[in-house]
Amino acid sequence: MIGTKGKVTAVNGNMVSVRFNGVVSMNEVGYVKVAETRLKGEVIRIRGEICQLQVFEITKGISIDDEVEFTGDMLSVELGPGLLGQVYDGLQNPLPQLAKATGFFLERGVYLEALSTETSWQFTPVAKQGDKVERGDTLGTVPEGSFTHRIMVPFNLYGSYTVSWVKNEGSYKIRETIAELTDEKGTAVQVKLSFNWPVKRAVDCYEERQKPVDPMVTRVRLIDTFFPVARGGTYCIPGPFGAGKTVLQQITSRFADVDIVIVAACGERAGEVVETLKEFPELKDEKTGRSLMERTIIICNTSSMPVAAREASVYTAVTLAEYYRQMGLHVLLLADSTSRWAQAMREMSGRLEEIPGEEAFPAYMESTIASFYERAGIVRLRNGTTGSVTIGGTVSPAGGNFEEPVTQATLKVVGAFHGLSRERSDARKFPAIHPLDSWSKYKGIIDSAKVDYAHGFMRRSAEVEQMMKVVGEEGTSIEDYIIYMKGDLVDSVYFQQNSFDAVDAAVKPDRQIYVFTKLLIILASHFTFADKNEARTWFNKLRQKFLDYNGSEWKSERFGSLEVEIENAVKSQSQGLDKAAEKIIF
C-alpha cells in the first residue's frame, strides 16, 4: 500500500532529499523511482516538508523531481519458519535466489521475498479455541531442521486476545492463515505463519530480563578460562587487520554452546565472507551430525556493497536473533566488523552536515553502539523457559590503536574484551588474544582464585621477559629465569591452540579444568636447576610432552601415558609446592 508521495530535491551520494506532501515518519521506508527501477531507502531525518532518505543502493541516475513513494511501514524483516540456513543481504534479500534472478553481478532495485512462499510447513496447533493469548505466545509449532519452530502471536499485537479458531494439524504455506484472534473490542485479526517486525525496535515480549551468569563455553581455552563470555552477555574482539578476528569468530561459531548462530558481515572484505560461505555448508555440526549451515543464518553485506546497507545488516541480524530467543533458544550473534558500520554512520552524518565528534564520527555514535549491544541478554519468557542472545562484535581500529573512538565506545558497554595483539599474531600464536591487556567481567568455568593466581604469575613472567630484553638473559637471576620459563610454558601449551588439530582445535570444559590444574601445580612448584641451560632444556622437553598431550584424545591410552611422563618429570625436579598456592589448588 502506497502512502505519501514526494519529489527528489537533492542527491548527495546515497543520501536523497525529498519534498513530500502528507505524513512521513522516521525510519519509514520509501522508494525512489528511477525509470523502471524502484530504489529502497529509509527516512533518517525530517525537517518541515523536506526529509532525507538513506538509499540502500547506488544512486546513479537519480534526478531532480524524480518521484518518491513512501510505504507507511518501518524498515522491517519477515519473521517465520525458513530463516535457518539462509544467506541474506542487509535488507533480507536471499542472495542465492537473487543471483539466480539477476546473475552474479547483482542489479539494483531487485527485492525478493525473504521466505519461500511455495514451501509447505507441517503445522501442529498448541493453542485451542477460547484460549487467552498475548503477543509472543505460542499458537502452534512447525519443525525447522533440528528445532521446533514456534508460530507465535505477532509481536505488534498488544493487549489480550481470544483464540477464535486454529487450523487443524496439516501442511500449510507461509502466507496461509492458521489462526484468527479477537481482541477485547471484538475486532478479528488473522495470523499467518510469518509476520513483520521493525528492525530498529527491540523485541520485548518476555516476562523478565535476567543477569547473564552462566558461561557460554567456546572451547577456546584462553577465553573460557581467563576471559569468559556469559550466555546472554556481550564481548568485543578488537585488533589490527590480519590479526585473526574473523578466524576466531568462525572457530567460536562452530563450537560455542549455543543453538543458533547468526553471522553479520557488515562491511567485511568479500574474500573473507566468501570463505565463510564456502566452509559452513561443508562443516559437520557436532550437535546434529548434519551441516553447520542448518542452524546458521548469514547476513552478508561486504565492503563492496552500498555503504548504507551496513547499518541495515546489523539491525536485521539482531532482530532475527531476538526472534529465535523468543522461542527459548540460545543465539550467538557475531558482527564483523562494527568499525565499518561506524564508518558508514560517519559518512551519513557528514552528508547530513551534523556537528562532528572525535575523528569526525557522529556525536551519537556511542549511544548507537550501546543500544545495539543492549539488545543482547538472557530473558525468562511467559511460559517459564529462558532464551538468550549473546553478541560478539569485532572492531578493526586503524593501526591496531585501541584508543580510537569506536573501540573506546564499545569497551564502555561490553562485558568482556578480547584484544588481539599484532605481536602475537606475527609470532603465529592462535588465538592472538593478549593475555595481559584483555579482561572479562563474567564468571568462567574455573574458580576465580585459581585463575587469578595463574594470571598473576603470567604478569610476573612478562615483567621478567621485559627485563631480559634490557639486561639480557645473563643479567637475570636463575629464580627469575624459572618464572619466565613457567610463563612461557603456560603460553605455549594452554593459551595457544592448534586450530588444524582435530583434538586441540576445540577443548571441552572438563578437559580444560583438568589440564589447568596440572599447570597450576607446575606454576606452584619450586624447581632447582644448576644453570639456565639446564632449566631451558628441561622446560623445552616438558613443553613438547604437553603439546603431544594436548593432541591426544581425552582419557585415551596415549593421553594417560603422556600424563604419567609429565607427572614423573615434574616430581623428579620439584622441591615441593608453594604453601600459599596449595590452599588455592587443592
Side-chain angles (χ1 to χ4, degrees):
M1 179 179 176
I2 304 300
T4 305
K5 293 190 177 183
K7 297 284 187 180
V8 173
T9 61
V11 181
N12 182 3
N14 67 313
M15 189 184 78
V16 176
S17 297
V18 180
R19 185 183 301 277
F20 60 91
N21 183 18
V23 178
V24 169
S25 304
M26 280 291 290
N27 305 121
E28 184 176 343
V29 173
Y31 289 91
V32 182
K33 297 181 72 174
V34 183
E36 300 300 318
T37 306
R38 299 167 76 240
L39 305 183
K40 192 173 186 176
E42 177 192 15
V43 176
I44 57 173
R45 185 169 70 181
I46 303 172
R47 286 187 174 176
E49 60 182 14
I50 300 291
C51 70
Q52 274 76 37
L53 270 72
Q54 63 171 350
V55 177
F56 301 115
E57 306 275 12
I58 296 170
T59 55
K60 181 179 179 181
I62 298 179
S63 304
I64 302 299
D65 287 336
D66 278 351
E67 188 177 346
V68 179
E69 297 174 342
F70 295 93
T71 62
D73 297 322
M74 303 295 104
L75 183 65
S76 304
V77 290
E78 186 175 7
L79 304 174
L83 292 168
L84 295 183
Q86 293 281 5
V87 180
Y88 292 114
D89 69 2
L91 302 176
Q92 212 190 8
N93 291 305
L95 287 176
Q97 286 86 328
L98 204 60
K100 288 180 183 178
T102 65
F104 289 107
F105 295 97
L106 303 181
E107 298 177 10
R108 64 177 184 168
V110 179
Y111 309 108
L112 303 180
E113 296 280 359
L115 300 173
S116 171
T117 56
E118 301 303 318
T119 304
S120 294
W121 299 91
Q122 189 62 34
F123 175 76
T124 303
V126 171
K128 57 185 181 298
Q129 185 177 359
D131 285 354
K132 295 287 186 180
V133 293
E134 297 181 12
R135 64 193 190 110
D137 286 351
T138 304
L139 296 174
T141 62
V142 301
E144 184 182 15
S146 57
F147 300 101
T148 299
H149 189 112
R150 297 182 188 175
I151 305 302
M152 294 175 278
V153 177
F155 302 155
N156 57 356
L157 297 184
Y158 292 87
S160 179
Y161 289 79
T162 303
V163 178
S164 300
W165 53 264
V166 180
K167 285 278 184 75
N168 294 325
E169 184 174 350
S171 184
Y172 304 100
K173 294 182 179 180
I174 205 89
R175 296 285 184 268
E176 293 185 59
T177 301
I178 53 92
E180 185 176 272
L181 311 178
T182 306
D183 66 12
E184 294 170 343
K185 296 180 180 179
T187 306
V189 179
Q190 293 189 336
V191 179
K192 298 177 173 57
L193 290 179
S194 70
F195 60 91
N196 292 339
W197 181 257
V199 295
K200 293 188 177 177
R201 184 173 181 179
V203 176
D204 56 357
C205 311
Y206 47 79
E207 195 74 15
E208 179 189 19
R209 191 181 180 94
Q210 299 178 340
K211 181 181 178 180
V213 175
D214 297 329
M216 182 195 74
V217 175
T218 64
R219 299 202 198 176
V220 177
R221 286 189 294 254
L222 187 52
I223 295 176
D224 292 342
T225 302
F226 286 88
F227 314 115
V229 177
R231 181 175 283 170
T234 56
Y235 67 102
C236 71
I237 310 175
F241 294 100
K245 295 186 294 294
T246 304
V247 174
L248 182 57
Q249 280 203 333
Q250 289 182 359
I251 290 288
T252 305
S253 63
R254 287 176 59 187
F255 299 110
D257 184 21
V258 293
D259 300 309
I260 309 287
V261 176
I262 299 177
V263 180
C266 46
E268 197 48 71
R269 289 171 295 205
E272 296 179 0
V273 177
V274 169
E275 183 181 337
T276 301
L277 294 177
K278 286 184 176 179
E279 283 188 1
F280 269 56
E282 304 297 325
L283 295 173
K284 185 178 179 181
D285 182 16
E286 286 189 352
K287 290 186 175 183
T288 62
R290 300 189 290 199
S291 169
L292 182 65
M293 195 65 201
E294 289 188 15
R295 63 180 183 94
T296 303
I297 305 172
I298 297 178
I299 311 296
C300 178
N301 185 254
T302 65
S303 54
S304 59
M305 292 180 175
V307 171
R310 294 179 188 176
E311 183 186 33
S313 63
V314 169
Y315 287 110
T316 295
V318 73
T319 304
L320 297 182
E322 289 173 328
Y323 176 61
Y324 280 100
R325 177 178 68 183
Q326 198 62 31
M327 299 181 200
L329 298 174
H330 299 289
V331 186
L332 172 62
L333 168 58
L334 300 171
D336 188 14
S337 143
T338 56
S339 289
R340 295 190 175 96
W341 168 37
Q343 289 164 9
M345 270 194 280
R346 177 169 62 184
E347 188 171 320
M348 287 309 302
S349 177
R351 288 186 175 137
L352 289 168
E353 299 179 354
E354 295 172 335
I355 297 174
E358 189 179 355
E359 292 189 21
F361 286 105
Y364 50 79
M365 182 189 69
E366 283 193 10
S367 61
T368 303
I369 289 176
S371 65
F372 166 66
Y373 280 102
E374 283 167 3
R375 292 177 71 167
I378 183 165
V379 300
R380 179 172 59 83
L381 305 175
R382 277 168 47 83
N383 61 6
T385 61
T386 58
S388 68
V389 171
T390 307
I391 298 181
T394 68
V395 188
S396 305
N401 174 26
F402 291 171
E403 299 302 316
E404 59 88 40
V406 181
T407 305
Q408 288 301 308
T410 305
L411 289 181
K412 290 178 182 178
V413 295
V414 296
F417 165 66
H418 301 159
L420 300 186
S421 160
R422 168 64 69 191
E423 181 183 357
R424 293 179 67 83
S425 173
D426 290 346
R428 298 293 184 267
K429 295 182 177 181
F430 177 83
I433 298 172
H434 198 291
L436 301 182
D437 292 344
S438 303
W439 49 262
S440 174
K441 300 176 183 177
Y442 300 123
K443 180 182 176 183
I445 61 172
I446 296 176
D447 182 67
S448 59
K450 295 180 180 180
V451 175
D452 290 344
Y453 178 79
H455 213 203
F457 211 101
M458 296 308 299
R459 291 189 183 278
R460 291 167 58 198
S461 174
E463 289 169 1
V464 174
E465 184 181 14
Q466 292 300 317
M467 182 177 65
M468 287 170 56
K469 290 179 180 179
V470 178
V471 301
E473 187 179 301
E474 63 277 1
T476 308
S477 67
I478 185 67
E479 291 79 11
D480 283 346
Y481 188 73
I482 291 172
I483 290 174
Y484 163 70
M485 291 304 297
K486 285 179 177 179
D488 186 61
L489 174 71
V490 175
D491 191 353
S492 301
V493 306
Y494 199 82
F495 288 177
Q496 297 172 50
Q497 287 179 238
N498 184 355
S499 60
F500 295 104
D501 186 278
V503 176
D504 198 38
V507 185
K508 292 184 177 180
D510 50 354
R511 179 166 181 162
Q512 290 187 43
I513 296 168
Y514 189 82
V515 173
F516 187 72
T517 304
K518 299 289 181 188
L519 284 170
L520 279 178
I521 292 172
I522 295 173
L523 291 180
S525 295
H526 295 294
F527 294 122
T528 304
F529 297 98
D531 52 36
K532 293 166 189 167
N533 284 334
E534 183 185 351
R536 185 188 307 108
T537 302
W538 187 84
F539 273 103
N540 285 343
K541 288 181 179 178
L542 187 65
R543 178 192 296 113
Q544 190 55 53
K545 289 182 188 296
F546 248 108
L547 292 175
D548 294 339
Y549 183 60
N550 287 342
S552 58
E553 289 286 348
W554 172 234
K555 294 187 176 178
S556 64
E557 185 177 339
R558 185 166 181 264
F559 179 89
S561 62
L562 285 167
E563 183 177 319
V564 170
E565 290 181 29
I566 291 169
E567 289 176 347
N568 289 339
V570 173
K571 286 177 183 177
S572 66
Q573 202 65 45
S574 175
Q575 303 298 314
L577 295 179
D578 176 31
K579 296 300 181 183
E582 276 190 40
K583 299 177 182 178
I584 298 172
I585 298 171
F586 302 108

